[in-house]
Amino acid sequence: MKPAVITSLVLGTVLAVGAVFYLAPGPGVPPAATVAATLADPAGQFIEITAKDGYTPATTHARAGVPLALKITTDGTLDCSSSLRIPALGWAEHLAPTGTVAVPIPAQKAGTTLVGVCSMGMKSFKIIFD
Ligand SMILES: [Cu+2]
């Protein structure tokens, strides 16, 4: 290969890898486009949780083996439940006081319990996959 070809290949790879890192919300969490794909998938599922003075509902069930789009909504949320972590996914975000974020969650094994917790560890929700 000519040096110019090698240079453009290397540059292209660096740009592609950089874009992936830039777009990735965190380790273990697929890109945001996965949420749309999950919602469009007839087998896909979603769960809605409200974050305000804790998380409602605190316990939900989801199907195992199917990707999940988790929608978290804040509505004038000024307490610490707006600062949310899902440790098993390496996901953490400080949510706007009002709005909705969608977290793509890859298919989980039956028996898995995924826990979301506020930054102070006082309030939490769990999703049980069965
Ligand atoms: Cu808290």
Side-chain angles (χ1 to χ4, degrees):
M1 277 188 281
K2 291 176 180 174
V5 173
I6 293 170
T7 302
S8 62
L9 279 176
V10 169
L11 205 62
T13 304
V14 167
L15 287 175
V17 170
V20 166
F21 274 100
Y22 179 74
L23 294 172
V29 179
T34 308
V35 170
T38 299
L39 294 176
D41 181 353
Q45 56 183 338
F46 70 94
I47 282 178
E48 292 177 295
I49 289 177
T50 300
K52 188 173 187 174
D53 300 322
Y55 303 100
T56 310
T59 302
T60 48
H61 289 260
R63 277 174 291 145
V66 179
L68 167 69
L70 171 62
K71 292 177 173 181
I72 303 160
T73 299
T74 46
D75 180 15
T77 304
L78 299 173
D79 68 287
C80 66
S81 55
S82 65
S83 185
L84 177 61
R85 292 183 295 130
I86 304 176
L89 298 177
W91 185 92
E93 201 161 301
H94 200 88
L95 309 171
T98 298
T100 299
V101 297
V103 186
I105 296 176
Q108 303 287 310
K109 282 190 249 172
T112 301
T113 297
L114 208 60
V115 175
V117 65
C118 74
S119 57
M120 294 156 65
M122 299 158 18
K123 297 161 183 169
S124 65
F125 66 82
K126 61 183 174 185
I127 302 169
I128 300 165
F129 292 85
D130 40 29

